[in-house]
Amino acid sequence: MIHHYLTALFIGIGAFFLLVGTVGLLRLPDVYNRMHATSKATTIGAASVFLAGTLHFGLQGAGLVSLVGIVFLFVTAPTGSHMISRAAERMGVAFAGGADWPVEKED
């Protein structure tokens, strides 16, 4: 019985974080803030849903695929976000609020 409650809890946590990431995508002002909201919140949200799948199905079959999905998600999401921010910076996309990129100090 506790098994079902934990699965439902992880699905609820995942749905909450996915909703927060979606709201951040719609409400934040520029590509950098939107990327941050979607990469962080949706990584945790999707990982929670995958973990719920692992709890529900066990460590074989679909549960193992869910664990592999978590590992894949934690490897690819930060890499994709980093590449998007680098591409936006190289294209000259400005920060919201007049912030600037940090200037490297020369020795």
Side-chain angles (χ1 to χ4, degrees):
M1 192 65 158
I2 190 90
H3 177 265
H4 297 294
Y5 288 128
L6 283 174
T7 301
L9 176 69
F10 278 113
I11 289 174
I13 290 170
F16 171 75
F17 278 104
L18 290 170
L19 179 67
V20 168
T22 302
V23 170
L25 179 65
L26 296 174
R27 301 273 306 166
L28 291 173
D30 64 353
V31 67
Y32 305 107
N33 290 322
R34 289 176 183 165
M35 177 200 52
H36 180 77
T38 56
S39 67
K40 303 301 181 223
T42 57
T43 299
I44 297 299
S48 295
V49 172
F50 279 142
L51 191 57
T54 301
L55 285 173
H56 182 73
F57 295 112
L59 290 176
Q60 66 268 9
L64 186 60
V65 171
S66 294
L67 284 179
V68 171
I70 292 171
V71 171
F72 182 74
L73 186 67
F74 275 96
V75 169
T76 59
T79 305
S81 296
H82 179 75
M83 296 311 294
I84 290 170
S85 70
R86 297 245 342 203
E89 187 263 335
R90 288 183 180 171
M91 290 175 54
V93 177
F95 284 114
D100 292 323
W101 282 97
V103 178
E104 295 182 17
K105 294 181 181 179
E106 294 182 23
D107 292 332

